[in-house]
């Protein structure tokens, strides 16, 4: 699994780490797991370490997260996400695109 998470009780935040190649399926599965965690534990602050992530998913897959999946799975609209940007320029552009889509939703 190219992603993992852990809860930091001191900061009351979920730390998520993506590494290696991340597919559309990985994005969908990790989002579902984090939304479920959000609902189960009442957590809605996340820090995502994407520094070692290389996105192989299409931008449409990234677009579908906040516009489709988050709505279908009733993600908390008040959730906050901070992202440590990836070193790969293509993936960094996709993260900026994701940020824009989230802000517009």
């Amino acid at each position: 699994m190219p992603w993992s998470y852990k809860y930091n009780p001191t900061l009351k935040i979920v730390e998520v780490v993506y590494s290696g190649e991340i597919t559309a399926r990985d994005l969908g599965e990790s989002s579902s797991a984090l939304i479920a965690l959000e609902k189960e534990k009442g957590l809605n602050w996340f820090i995502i370490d994407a520094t070692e992530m290389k996105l192989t998913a299409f931008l449409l897959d990234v677009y579908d997260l906040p516009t489709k999946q988050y709505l279908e799975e009733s993600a908390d609209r008040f959730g906050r996400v901070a992202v440590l940007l990836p070193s790969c320029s293509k993936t960094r552009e996709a993260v900026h695109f994701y940020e824009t889509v989230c802000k517009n939703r």
Side-chain angles (χ1 to χ4, degrees), residues 35 44 47 49 61 64 67:
I35 291 168
N44 65 355
I47 185 164
D49 181 349
D61 300 317
D64 280 347
T67 61

Side-chain angles (χ1 to χ4, degrees), residues 33-97:
L34 295 170
I35 291 168
L37 179 68
E38 176 184 74
K39 290 177 182 179
E40 178 186 330
K41 304 285 187 185
L43 307 170
N44 65 355
W45 286 51
F46 300 87
I47 185 164
I48 297 174
D49 181 349
T51 55
E52 300 301 319
M53 174 176 148
K54 183 174 185 221
L55 188 68
T56 61
F58 295 107
L59 282 182
L60 183 58
D61 300 317
V62 174
Y63 179 83
D64 280 347
L65 292 173
T67 61
K68 186 177 179 186
Q69 184 174 355
Y70 293 0
L71 295 174
E72 289 173 356
E73 296 183 22
S74 301
D76 184 351
R77 294 183 53 88
F78 295 105
R80 296 294 175 250
V81 178
V83 179
L84 301 174
L85 291 173
S87 55
C88 173
S89 62
K90 179 184 172 201
T91 302
R92 191 171 35 252
E93 290 173 11
V95 169
H96 287 297
F97 176 71

